[in-house]
Every structure is written in structure tokens, then in C-alpha cells.
Amino acid sequence: ILNWLFWKIPHREKGTENNPISGLSRWKIWDNMRRSLTPVMLIVFLLAAWTVLPGSAILWTIAVFGVLAFPIYSSFSTDIFRRPQRVGWRLYLDKIRADLTMNTYRSVTSFLFLPHQAYNSMDAILRTLYRMFISQHKLLEWTSASKVDREHANGSLRNYTLKMWFNVFWGLTCLFAVAFIKIQMLVIAFPVCMGWIFGPGLAFYLSKPMRNN
């Protein structure tokens, strides 16, 4: 969809033609592309916050977590004020508490899997640019969600570690960088980096089917 950002788009017979979509539609395309770069920018920003940026590193770290958590909690915040009339307050508060717990889990796991998300985003972006401008092959290749689920089903801890290797690599890279550049920031960076390093183990644990008592 990169070509649809510009005033001219490719045409099989004419070479190029005027882009028929509106400016608002182009802005939506640009926003989708921006969001695909968000994980990459966030992990780079965190490393910079722990090593070279001025200000409080703990506040920068909380800000990054807030960027990830805001979309998750925003929908939850609106649900608080939308109690159906037929649902009692006790049952409704139980639902709110359960939703709050689930949203917290989602926010924490998104933060702990952030390097893996960044790697997948950059892999998709670079692969797409290579196929568009260099190889001109496999332009319509894509992987369905069901295939991804099958590939991850019953995976071993080793498989998860291999698939999420960048999580471990980036965690170790940040640990060494902080220790070498600004060692006093290890007290903030160490818990986050350890969470990234053990992220594949957490993903493996969460992928296990629940047992019914």
C-alpha cells in the first residue's frame, strides 16, 4: 500500500495515473505505517532513556509502558460507565474487576514481548521493500492467522526461544549497554531486560492449554 501514499499510482497500461483516494484515506494509510514502526521506536527509545537521554529514566520507562497500555485500557475505561440496566451492580463490578485483571495481563505481556514485536515489524517492512523495489517476487505472499496458530501450537520451550530470539538478544544488548555507559541505571533497566530475556519462557507458559479442575 506504500504507493497509495503518493499523488500518482502505478498503472499497468498507462504507467501511472492519478491517485483516486482522498487525503483522509492517505492519512489512514500513513497512520497504519506509523503504528508498524512503533515497537521499533519504543525499544530504541528505552535504550536511549537508560543511557543518554536527560531526565528521569524511570519516567521514560513508565511513559513507554503507558503508550502500550493506553489503547488497551481506553476501551475498558468507557465500559465502566456503560452498565446495562438489567445487570446488577455486584455482577457488573465483578466483570469490571475481571476485565481490569485481563487488561493488566495484556499490557504487561505486550511490554515484555516488545522486542519480538519490533523484530517482526522490521522483518515485514524490509521484506516488503525488498520485494517491491528489488526482487519483484512473492508480492502477494501472506500468512493467515490460522497457520500462525498451527505453527505455534504445542511448541516446545526451545521453539519459542528460537522464534523469539530477538527478545533475548535485545535484553542482553541493553543490559551490557547500560552497564557500560551508565551503570547506575541498571536498577531500572535490569528488571525490564530480565523480563525480555525470559519473555520466550513466559510465552511458552501462557501457550499451554488450561487444565480444568
Side-chain angles (χ1 to χ4, degrees):
I1 63 174
L2 181 63
N3 290 323
W4 292 88
L5 282 174
F6 307 108
W7 296 106
K8 297 287 186 178
I9 58 173
H11 190 276
R12 180 176 297 179
E13 299 176 354
K14 302 178 183 178
T16 61
E17 65 175 353
N18 292 330
N19 191 342
I21 66 175
S22 66
L24 178 61
S25 297
R26 284 199 293 269
W27 181 85
K28 291 179 179 179
I29 294 173
W30 172 259
D31 188 58
N32 285 332
M33 298 178 66
R34 176 197 60 79
R35 282 187 291 173
S36 67
L37 285 171
T38 297
V40 180
M41 301 307 297
L42 288 180
I43 63 171
V44 173
F45 178 80
L46 275 176
L47 178 57
W50 295 333
T51 53
V52 296
L53 286 183
S56 172
I58 185 66
L59 290 181
W60 291 131
T61 305
I62 293 173
V64 169
F65 181 80
V67 169
L68 294 173
F70 178 77
I72 298 174
Y73 282 106
S74 59
S75 60
F76 165 75
S77 62
T78 58
D79 291 340
I80 295 177
F81 306 102
R82 295 181 179 177
R83 180 182 68 88
Q85 293 296 326
R86 64 181 181 276
V87 178
W89 276 105
R90 184 181 181 85
L91 181 61
Y92 187 67
L93 291 176
D94 288 341
K95 178 184 180 299
I96 292 294
R97 184 163 49 249
D99 289 346
L100 179 61
T101 302
M102 181 58 65
N103 287 334
T104 301
Y105 287 153
R106 288 177 58 195
S107 300
V108 171
T109 52
S110 294
F111 188 73
L112 294 180
F113 301 157
L114 188 59
H116 177 63
Q117 297 172 21
Y119 172 80
N120 285 340
S121 295
M122 282 306 301
D123 176 71
I125 292 170
L126 295 177
R127 194 185 299 267
T128 300
L129 293 176
Y130 173 78
R131 291 174 180 177
M132 284 182 60
F133 299 110
I134 299 178
S135 71
Q136 298 291 317
H137 294 299
K138 298 182 178 180
L139 295 177
L140 297 178
E141 184 183 57
W142 63 285
T143 303
S144 65
S146 59
K147 183 178 179 181
V148 173
D149 290 339
R150 288 196 301 270
E151 290 176 350
H152 286 80
N154 301 320
S156 64
L157 177 59
R158 180 177 180 274
N159 289 337
Y160 273 88
T161 303
L162 291 175
K163 285 183 176 295
M164 299 180 66
W165 68 270
F166 192 77
N167 233 68
V168 179
F169 170 79
W170 190 253
L172 292 173
T173 298
C174 290
L175 273 180
F176 285 115
V178 175
F180 181 75
I181 299 174
K182 192 180 289 188
I183 194 170
Q184 65 270 25
M185 289 297 122
L186 272 179
V187 66
I188 299 172
F190 183 80
V192 177
C193 292
M194 293 306 294
W196 288 342
I197 292 170
F198 289 102
L202 176 62
F204 169 71
Y205 173 78
L206 295 175
S207 69
K208 290 184 177 181
M210 298 181 64
R211 296 180 180 180
N212 295 323
N213 294 329

